[in-house]
Amino acid sequence: IKEMSMLSLICSCLYSQPHRNSIYQYGDMEVKPINKCASGQSFEVILKAPNDLSPDRPQPLASPPKKDVSLHELQKRLEAAEERRKSHEVHVLKQLAERREHERVVLHKALEDNYNFSKMAEEKLSYKMEVNKENREALFNALKQKLWEKEKHGADVRRNKELQAELSG
């Protein structure tokens, strides 16, 4: 259908009824019009089997004939394959070594970060404990001062009572 000319396509649109017994040949397929479609044209496409092809048409390509290979040629091919295998093995081992080195560097960095974080957290905790200790000591000293002042006031009150008792008595 690709090879149908533009004029044929336009004519088929203008004349919805195809010619009777019109068969179009395109390579290994036949196109026959069918008059059973009321809304427009319809076609039957018949594909020819490969054995239906004409003898003047080229046949599908067969595999090329095998040539005899000498023992020396086989040996050279085996050596080349072995060299490729060794080269590939070296390449893979090199990639594995690079990956291991990368993983080692990443692990070392993670351990270093963990150590630094732990050290920082320990320093913060020590600082907070020191601040809390100083706060506790300051609070304790303030309470001691208050207690001492109350005891001094109590002693003054007792002495004043004793003096009053002596003066009145």
Side-chain angles (χ1 to χ4, degrees):
I1 294 179
K2 284 195 280 185
E3 297 175 10
M4 183 183 274
S5 69
M6 189 59 97
L7 182 62
S8 298
L9 182 63
I10 293 172
C11 289
S12 68
C13 292
L14 294 175
Y15 301 108
S16 63
Q17 296 298 323
H19 297 292
R20 301 242 184 252
N21 300 328
S22 295
I23 296 178
Y24 303 102
Q25 298 263 345
Y26 298 105
D28 58 347
M29 74 176 166
E30 290 181 10
V31 179
K32 294 181 183 179
I34 301 174
N35 286 332
K36 295 179 182 176
C37 186
S39 64
Q41 287 188 339
S42 60
F43 299 92
E44 178 182 4
V45 178
I46 302 168
L47 297 175
K48 295 181 185 177
N51 57 3
D52 292 344
L53 297 174
S54 62
D56 58 341
R57 188 172 174 96
Q59 297 296 321
L61 295 176
S63 61
K66 292 186 178 181
K67 62 177 183 174
D68 290 334
V69 181
S70 68
L71 183 61
H72 179 66
E73 182 68 27
L74 286 174
Q75 188 64 32
K76 282 173 52 178
R77 287 183 184 176
L78 282 173
E79 289 172 359
E82 183 67 18
E83 286 298 316
R84 286 192 305 271
R85 186 194 63 77
K86 286 180 181 178
S87 173
H88 180 62
E89 184 178 326
V90 166
H91 180 69
V92 168
L93 288 175
K94 182 180 176 184
Q95 284 182 332
L96 284 174
E98 288 172 355
R99 186 175 292 146
R100 281 190 188 141
E101 178 63 20
H102 176 71
E103 289 172 353
R104 188 189 67 74
V105 167
V106 168
L107 181 61
H108 178 71
K109 177 74 173 148
L111 288 173
E112 186 178 311
D113 289 347
N114 187 32
Y115 173 77
N116 290 339
F117 178 77
S118 296
K119 188 176 178 182
M120 183 183 67
E122 185 178 336
E123 288 173 356
K124 281 184 177 181
L125 182 62
S126 296
Y127 175 75
K128 284 183 179 181
M129 288 175 68
E130 187 66 33
V131 167
N132 284 341
K133 182 179 177 184
E134 290 172 2
N135 287 344
R136 282 193 312 260
E137 287 177 2
L139 182 63
F140 180 69
N141 287 336
L143 288 174
K144 264 177 39 176
Q145 181 69 27
K146 225 178 203 183
L147 183 61
W148 183 77
E149 288 174 0
K150 282 186 179 184
E151 282 184 19
K152 185 177 174 187
H153 178 69
D156 287 343
V157 168
R158 277 192 302 273
R159 196 171 12 113
N160 286 340
K161 279 188 179 182
E162 287 175 5
L163 280 175
Q164 265 186 344
E166 281 181 17
L167 287 176
S168 57

